[in-house]
Amino acid sequence: MNITVKSCSPEDGPLIHLSDEFISDMIESLSIDVEQSSNDTKRGETCSRNVMRKQRNWERRLEMKKSKRKEEKQRRKRNMQKKDVVPQFTKRVAKAIAKERLEEAKVSGPQLCVDLSMTDCMSHKEISRLASQIRRLYGSNKNALQPFHLFLTDMREDSLLHRECVRMNDGFLNYLMDVTEKSWTDLFPSEDVIYLTPDASEALEQVDRGKVYILGGLVDESIQKRISYTRAQGLGVCTARLPIDEYMVKRANPKNFHSKILSINQVFDILLTYRDTASWSKALTAGFPPGKGYVVSPEPCPKLPFDQRTIHTSVPSSERDACTSLQVLGLQGSSNSHAQKGNFDIAD
């Protein structure tokens, strides 16, 4: 069957005759186009859903980041409100103030010395870590409101530690501390020295301006026992440890890891905080790393009675035990005479 298409006007051109074959071909091609367009639409909808899902995830993450930043900002604001208002200085003024404090500490501040005589038993990696700890220690002291008068003893200019300090620590040669090749035994009277070591039996009760506190400059990855304690005992000076046992308790953790070994800058930060707060609980909370497996006990540590107070001594433990027994029995005269003979004092 033939179909004749008649134009509406003479200007539209001649009549067009369409055959059945032509019409069937046209219908078939139109159906193919319709199928292709529907498939394209389905693929487009699938792609659109993936894009929209990614867009929603991205927006969700962005919103979470904004929320965290807002919470952090509010937390800092609350902390600033709790603290005293500290005036903001320019870098030049802040540097001048820090320098003035360090200079004043050299005259009237408590003295703290890092004993660097044990570097011979340390590896290159351990010495590099020690140089990094010295940088952190000095940075904490520079920013402290009540800094210490710092000493680095047994620091030879031709040593690996000195080279590492110069290489790793910008401005090390201009640090406001006393760096000397002499031993601390040549600088301070032994009766004024308290050697801080984790192996000591007595706990440090307070930071005394008239004492010199020695930190063993030792980074020991092989965990050699009692190195600094043995050195201090051999030199006959008083030893003390941070009051971790008195103020902290073990905290359960998946690895069941508990350690009281701290780096020299961590010990120093605890001492600085104690000077500012006069509270070992606050100092240990602020300075003791949580990864060591200890937390400050919520119960306050009771004050020891007089006959149980800490005894700082350089005499053997057997003589200290004998003196303590005399005190407990109330033999004050014998106790005092023995104390004078053994050269030790009882600290409150």
Side-chain angles (χ1 to χ4, degrees):
M1 180 181 66
N2 295 330
I3 298 176
T4 303
V5 179
K6 184 178 181 181
S7 61
C8 297
S9 63
E11 290 81 3
D12 294 334
L15 298 178
I16 301 175
H17 298 279
L18 301 178
S19 63
D20 293 341
E21 184 179 356
F22 177 79
I23 293 173
S24 62
D25 292 340
M26 288 292 292
I27 294 174
E28 185 178 356
S29 62
L30 288 174
S31 63
I32 294 175
D33 292 340
V34 171
E35 291 178 0
Q36 290 179 348
S37 62
S38 62
N39 293 335
D40 294 341
T41 302
K42 291 180 181 179
R43 284 196 297 268
E45 290 177 355
T46 304
C47 294
S48 298
R49 286 196 297 269
N50 291 336
V51 171
M52 291 177 64
R53 184 173 61 254
K54 292 180 180 179
Q55 178 73 15
R56 287 194 299 269
N57 291 337
W58 180 81
E59 291 176 353
R60 192 181 301 112
R61 289 195 297 268
L62 183 62
E63 188 66 26
M64 290 177 61
K65 289 182 180 179
K66 288 182 179 180
S67 178
K68 288 183 179 179
R69 284 197 295 266
K70 185 177 180 180
E71 292 176 359
E72 179 68 16
K73 186 176 180 180
Q74 292 176 351
R75 186 185 65 81
R76 291 178 180 176
K77 187 176 180 180
R78 288 194 300 268
N79 291 339
M80 290 298 296
Q81 291 175 352
K82 292 179 182 179
K83 297 180 181 179
D84 295 334
V85 178
V86 180
Q88 299 294 326
F89 301 108
T90 62
K91 290 184 178 180
R92 179 177 298 180
V93 174
K95 187 176 181 180
I97 293 175
K99 183 178 180 180
E100 183 179 353
R101 287 174 180 165
L102 292 175
E103 294 290 353
E104 184 179 352
K106 283 191 172 184
V107 179
S108 58
Q111 297 174 317
L112 185 136
C113 170
V114 181
D115 177 15
L116 302 175
S117 62
M118 296 173 283
T119 55
D120 292 340
C121 60
M122 295 165 57
S123 65
H124 191 297
K125 180 181 178 181
E126 292 170 341
I127 288 178
S128 297
R129 291 181 58 188
L130 178 59
S132 178
Q133 292 178 14
I134 291 174
R135 180 184 69 249
R136 295 190 182 99
L137 185 149
Y138 178 75
S140 297
N141 196 54
K142 183 177 65 174
N143 297 325
L145 297 177
Q146 301 183 72
F148 282 76
H149 181 190
L150 296 181
F151 293 82
L152 298 182
T153 58
D154 288 280
M155 172 68 90
R156 302 186 305 274
E157 290 189 6
D158 60 346
S159 65
L160 174 61
L161 177 60
H162 189 275
R163 292 195 298 271
E164 287 295 283
C165 286
V166 174
R167 181 182 68 86
M168 299 175 60
N169 307 340
D170 293 338
F172 172 77
L173 298 178
N174 297 322
Y175 278 5
L176 292 177
M177 62 168 64
D178 290 349
V179 182
T180 177
E181 295 185 358
K182 295 182 179 180
S183 172
W184 58 268
T185 57
D186 300 328
L187 300 176
F188 312 113
S190 59
E191 59 270 17
D192 294 339
V193 170
I194 297 179
Y195 206 111
L196 298 178
T197 169
D199 300 309
S201 57
E202 290 88 9
L204 183 67
E205 293 191 349
Q206 60 184 358
V207 178
D208 189 351
R209 190 184 296 263
K211 296 293 184 180
V212 181
Y213 298 92
I214 310 294
L215 293 179
L218 179 66
V219 176
D220 182 21
E221 295 183 348
S222 62
I223 315 298
Q224 302 179 48
K225 299 289 186 179
R226 306 169 72 89
I227 295 180
S228 59
Y229 179 76
T230 302
R231 172 169 169 75
Q233 288 293 297
L235 295 171
V237 297
C238 297
T239 59
R241 55 175 172 79
L242 293 178
I244 298 173
D245 294 336
E246 288 73 13
Y247 289 89
M248 306 190 78
V249 294
K250 291 182 178 180
R251 180 182 62 182
N253 58 82
K255 296 183 179 180
N256 195 27
F257 174 75
H258 303 91
S259 175
K260 303 174 187 176
I261 306 300
L262 303 176
S263 61
I264 59 172
N265 58 292
Q266 290 170 343
V267 175
F268 184 70
D269 287 343
I270 292 173
L271 296 177
L272 281 177
T273 306
Y274 176 79
R275 286 206 68 201
D276 292 336
T277 62
S279 169
W280 284 117
S281 296
K282 294 180 180 179
L284 292 169
T285 300
F288 200 92
K292 294 290 184 177
Y294 283 85
V295 293
V296 173
S297 174
E299 298 180 0
C301 181
K303 185 175 179 61
L304 297 176
F306 183 79
D307 58 358
Q308 296 181 13
R309 292 177 187 176
T310 304
I311 299 176
H312 300 298
T313 178
S314 58
V315 299
S317 58
S318 59
E319 297 184 22
R320 290 203 305 271
D321 296 339
C323 179
T324 304
S325 300
L326 290 174
Q327 281 188 320
V328 173
L329 294 174
L331 304 178
Q332 295 290 337
S334 300
S335 171
N336 291 336
S337 62
H338 193 92
Q340 293 175 0
K341 181 179 179 181
N343 189 24
F344 65 90
D345 60 326
I346 302 173
D348 290 339

